[in-house]
Amino acid sequence: MKNQKLEVKAALQVLKPAHEVFEAIVDPAKMSNYFISESSGPMEAGKTVTWKFPEFDERFPVRVGRIEQGKYVSYFWDHGDQELLVEITLTPKGDNATLVTITEKEMENDEAGLNWLRGNTEGWANFLACLKAYLEYGINLRKGAFDFMKPEV
């Protein structure tokens, strides 16, 4: 059997219209309520922004790929010596619901790739739950959730 590439895929329905979900993904002021702690700017096609997460001191460059208003966002970010593609697709479900599907690609089907697949599948499931909690209930599930990952001082 051929060594197939690994790809993360996660999806969740959010009870908000696609344009609201889209804005929560591209607007750093909204993203800071459920995902990042800060960003150097909004996600715009062809731009590179820098994200900081609450549990890490480092900043992470994100190269924005293609954006389709209210429908699709893609970007690239580094994983070691590789640049991985993240795609977020928004599919309206009636007037007040959106299916959010995230894929991240791709890694080799080996031990390192399987560890990445496990960790990033968990991470994207967490992202989706946090996005849903923020948009539907105004709750920041991420706040304090990953403090255990901060280095001990």
Side-chain angles (χ1 to χ4, degrees):
M1 180 174 182
K2 195 174 172 186
N3 190 16
Q4 297 178 348
K5 300 279 185 171
L6 300 174
E7 176 179 300
V8 172
K9 186 170 186 178
L12 189 70
Q13 184 165 290
V14 176
L15 300 180
K16 290 292 179 180
H19 68 89
E20 277 188 53
V21 177
F22 178 83
E23 286 303 317
I25 292 169
V26 300
D27 180 347
K30 292 181 176 151
M31 288 178 77
S32 67
N33 289 298
Y34 71 92
F35 186 49
I36 58 173
S37 58
E38 58 187 82
S39 174
S40 62
M43 295 183 79
E44 297 172 348
K47 302 278 184 183
T48 297
V49 295
T50 303
W51 286 346
K52 183 173 183 323
F53 293 88
E55 63 273 11
F56 301 114
D57 290 332
E58 301 87 7
R59 296 183 185 278
F60 300 88
V62 174
R63 184 172 59 87
V64 183
R66 189 169 52 109
I67 291 189
E68 291 179 40
Q69 186 70 32
K71 296 179 182 179
Y72 177 85
V73 174
S74 70
Y75 62 87
F76 300 85
W77 60 358
D78 293 337
H79 178 79
D81 60 351
Q82 283 186 263
E83 188 179 58
L84 302 180
L85 171 64
V86 174
E87 296 179 292
I88 304 173
T89 304
L90 307 177
T91 306
K93 297 292 184 182
D95 291 337
N96 200 36
T98 305
L99 176 62
V100 182
T101 304
I102 299 174
T103 58
E104 183 175 3
K105 28 187 144 170
E106 61 193 18
M107 293 283 287
E108 293 296 328
N109 188 359
D110 56 18
E111 186 175 348
L114 290 170
N115 287 332
W116 165 82
L117 182 70
R118 180 190 47 77
N120 284 31
T121 299
E122 290 173 4
W124 287 119
N126 179 269
F127 170 92
L128 290 168
C130 291
L131 173 67
K132 182 176 180 72
Y134 166 65
L135 286 175
E136 292 182 17
Y137 304 102
I139 298 169
N140 185 343
L141 288 180
R142 193 173 178 104
K143 186 175 183 178
F146 296 101
D147 286 353
F148 71 93
M149 296 176 74
K150 290 181 179 178
E152 297 285 330
V153 179

